[in-house]
Amino acid sequence: MSLARNIIQGDIRAIARAMTWIENEHEAKEQLIDEIFPDCGRATVWGITGPPGAGKSTLTDQLITRERRQGRKVGIIAVDPSSPFSGGAILGDRLRMQQHATDDGVFIRSMASRGHLGGVAGSTGDAVKVLDAAGFDTIIVETIGVGQTEIEVMGMADIVLLVLVPGLGDEIQALKAGVMEIGDLFVINKADRDDAGKIKAEVEYVLGLKYAENMAAKNPVLMVSALTGQGIDDLHHSLYSYLNLIRSSGTLEQRRRDRLAGELRTIAAAKIEALVHYHLDFEDRLDSWVEMLYSRKESPYGLMNGRIESLIKELTDK
Amino acid sequence: MAKKIRILIGKPGLDGHDRGAKYIARALKDAGYEVVYTGIRQSPEAIARTAVQEDVDFVGLSLLSGAHNELFPEVIRQLKQEKADDIIVFGGGVIPDDDIPGLTAAGIEAVFTPGTPIKDVIAFIEANRERVESK
Ligand SMILES: Nc1nc2c(ncn2[C@@H]2O[C@H](COP(=O)(O)OP(=O)(O)OP(=O)(O)O)[C@@H](O)[C@H]2O)c(=O)[nH]1
Ligand SMILES: [Mg+2]
């Protein structure tokens, strides 16, 4: 039986193996994704992002529990950074979720970023598809601990939770900028600590500026303690209210269309780059081109435009 | 692209000391592997299911409490039950020499006792690279 069919039937080993294929750019990856694609689009995808150590994994663990209580199957993709030096990684997010390790309705996969910037791995989007096709109702993507520039999860998720905590010091300035742009729900975690109220006030203040004209559209800000469970039920409830809101306003549908557009852009860019590299014989000729530039016989744009023009001519003449 | 080797470091049993496990996890990361670390007090079932979901090539078990003769073979049994007995299992911790043949017979492919240099563990993994790359 094909791997795709086994995935669609929810076979755990098939799901796990498919993710490995995707991560390693297996030669059958594209066919696999195309085979499962018709079965995708049913799951709701949540992104959980925020600075390192904010409690994203602990919060994810709590939310899994709430989802399971309501009978939903949950898939989790938790991304941690790869070492730029060794290429290795310690994938420790699932440590906080291990109480769900033996639950058939929960599938947790750790991913290393493998040099991809943006807070997720380059293969995270396709891994989400595998869980979606396998019938998981809710898919949670935990990003690496990020600042406000690594926000690729926004293009991948239906709803994004930005987790903030007290005691970030100078980072709060950057995060204030982030709050303007990232996230649907703002979660102030570690509310069991004294200074959490101050962060909430700051976030509310920034949102107040952003939505001064339209306070009804202001994003929810919730105080929780992922450690004690305080406030998590309210957060879960707000999350579903927000999902309903964006569903009825058409925002959700638009996000999903945008996501597909983004995926096509990424695929097209990668394919065209590979194609041009191949036909220009780029790697082999690079040294001689560098010589031409170094001796100032050629200029960079002139050289490349010339090569690409003759390539297009060559291809269209065929 | 070369396949990235993925390794689960698991701590079955009740002892709460994970310094050794964390040390090996970090050393394997520095050697270029992707290491999934699940923390202390994991049941053999949780370790096996985690290994399957993470599609790891190796499971390294770390144990100080002395229950290795029961818990290590139980992990092997659980992996078989999950149809994942192609995953290579090794163990480490305070393990008397007399226990090693029994563990080997149960399917633990290597046992590293305290003081084993990390390069021996890496050599063991590299010696099995072809095997995991061909599956
Ligand atoms: N006091 C307190 N500590 C918490 C809370 N939530 C998480 N922590 C602790 O904060 C630390 C980091 O928690 P994680 O859940 O691993 O944080 P994370 O954001 O996933 O971390 P990275 O993935 O490494 O960026 C752990 O020691 C948690 O126990 C909370 O609500 N209150
Ligand atoms: Mg985490």
Side-chain angles (χ1 to χ4, degrees):
Chain A
M1 226 197 252
S2 76
L3 189 59
R5 193 154 330 137
N6 288 343
I7 291 167
I8 292 160
Q9 289 178 353
D11 178 70
I12 299 301
R13 275 227 98 178
I15 297 166
R17 184 52 50 89
M19 291 188 175
T20 304
W21 280 21
I22 289 166
E23 283 197 295
N24 292 336
E25 291 287 341
H26 190 285
E27 57 192 18
K29 177 196 95 171
E30 293 186 0
Q31 194 193 340
L32 174 71
I33 298 295
D34 281 359
E35 277 174 21
I36 62 171
F37 187 75
D39 288 85
C40 294
R42 301 197 188 104
T44 306
V45 185
W46 308 355
I48 300 195
T49 191
K56 298 178 291 296
S57 303
T58 314
L59 179 66
T60 302
D61 174 62
Q62 292 275 8
L63 291 170
I64 298 169
T65 304
R66 300 309 186 282
E67 286 293 278
R68 293 300 293 145
R69 265 183 214 154
Q70 298 184 356
R72 290 186 204 91
K73 289 179 70 183
V74 194
I76 297 94
I77 296 169
V79 190
D80 269 316
S82 298
S83 159
F85 307 106
S86 71
I90 292 190
L91 309 172
D93 290 322
R94 74 173 296 145
L95 172 77
R96 318 251 174 236
M97 312 171 197
Q98 274 305 85
Q99 60 163 316
H100 304 289
T102 54
D103 179 347
D104 285 328
V106 177
F107 183 103
I108 304 169
R109 180 64 175 244
S110 314
M111 276 187 145
S113 62
R114 297 193 180 178
H116 188 84
L117 303 174
V120 293
S123 46
T124 303
D126 282 340
V128 167
K129 290 195 192 70
V130 172
L131 291 172
D132 190 348
F136 289 92
D137 303 293
T138 303
I139 298 168
I140 304 178
V141 177
E142 181 192 333
T143 72
I144 65 179
V146 293
Q148 80 276 23
T149 54
E150 295 124 321
I151 52 173
E152 216 174 287
V153 72
M154 288 181 71
M156 201 170 278
D158 295 324
I159 183 168
V160 172
L161 279 63
L162 176 64
V163 184
L164 298 169
V165 279
L168 289 171
D170 288 346
E171 281 174 52
I172 193 66
Q173 289 306 328
L175 286 164
K176 270 188 202 161
V179 166
M180 302 295 280
E181 291 147 25
I182 313 170
D184 297 301
L185 261 63
F186 298 99
V187 183
I188 316 296
N189 190 32
K190 311 200 183 182
D192 51 291
R193 291 184 358 192
D194 300 340
D195 34 359
K198 209 176 126 228
I199 304 287
K200 181 170 195 287
E202 292 198 36
V203 171
E204 295 274 14
Y205 171 75
V206 174
L207 288 173
L209 296 178
K210 183 177 174 188
Y211 291 105
E213 310 291 317
N214 181 12
M215 287 308 261
K218 199 161 100 19
N219 310 64
V221 183
L222 292 121
M223 294 246 269
V224 306
S225 168
L227 201 61
T228 66
Q230 168 202 336
I232 304 288
D233 285 331
D234 283 346
L235 166 63
H236 191 237
H237 192 81
S238 295
L239 200 157
Y240 273 92
S241 305
Y242 196 88
L243 273 173
N244 282 334
L245 192 76
I246 60 174
R247 196 171 280 128
S248 55
S249 69
T251 304
L252 182 61
E253 202 183 304
Q254 191 53 49
R255 283 184 184 180
R256 291 180 173 179
R257 287 180 196 281
D258 291 347
R259 192 187 312 164
L260 292 171
E263 282 174 8
L264 283 183
R265 270 183 226 285
T266 307
I267 294 171
K271 294 256 169 215
I272 288 169
E273 187 185 335
L275 205 73
V276 170
H277 257 72
Y278 174 78
H279 282 289
L280 287 183
D281 210 359
F282 199 95
E283 294 309 324
D284 285 343
R285 300 213 184 148
L286 191 57
D287 283 349
S288 68
W289 290 343
V290 167
E291 278 319 305
M292 291 180 205
L293 296 187
Y294 193 82
S295 59
R296 303 295 186 266
K297 285 198 191 101
E298 287 271 8
S299 55
Y301 286 105
L303 175 75
M304 275 303 69
N305 284 336
R307 296 293 153 163
I308 289 169
E309 266 163 38
S310 47
L311 171 63
I312 290 171
K313 206 164 166 298
E314 198 181 303
L315 292 174
T316 44
D317 284 351
K318 266 190 200 158
Chain B
M1 209 191 103
K3 177 184 155 72
K4 268 268 170 228
I5 289 184
R6 288 167 65 87
I7 304 169
L8 170 68
I9 297 296
K11 267 195 72 59
L14 297 178
D15 75 274
H17 301 282
D18 59 353
R19 269 181 56 194
K22 279 184 174 159
Y23 169 76
I24 181 108
R26 221 168 293 130
L28 292 174
K29 168 200 168 182
D30 291 339
Y33 307 116
E34 291 182 356
V35 184
V36 180
Y37 182 60
T38 54
I40 57 173
R41 301 200 178 99
Q42 297 292 302
S43 69
E45 188 192 1
I47 290 174
R49 290 213 181 190
T50 300
V52 168
Q53 293 179 12
E54 298 287 353
D55 197 21
V56 292
D57 307 296
F58 295 83
V59 171
L61 300 172
S62 164
L63 194 68
L64 302 173
S65 66
H68 48 267
N69 286 333
E70 295 75 45
L71 293 173
F72 286 10
E74 181 58 17
V75 170
I76 300 269
R77 210 183 62 74
Q78 294 281 350
L79 283 171
K80 278 213 179 86
Q81 197 168 311
E82 302 284 332
K83 297 190 186 63
D85 41 357
D86 55 325
I87 297 175
I88 299 167
V89 183
F90 62 93
V94 189
I95 294 166
D97 286 347
D98 289 350
D99 289 351
I100 294 176
L103 292 174
T104 313
I108 308 292
E109 297 203 17
V111 175
F112 302 102
T113 48
T116 309
I118 194 73
K119 68 172 175 29
D120 290 5
V121 181
I122 294 168
F124 166 73
I125 289 163
E126 289 304 317
N128 284 290
R129 179 179 278 278
E130 254 181 58
R131 199 168 130 204
V132 302
E133 280 179 350
S134 66
K135 72 179 182 195

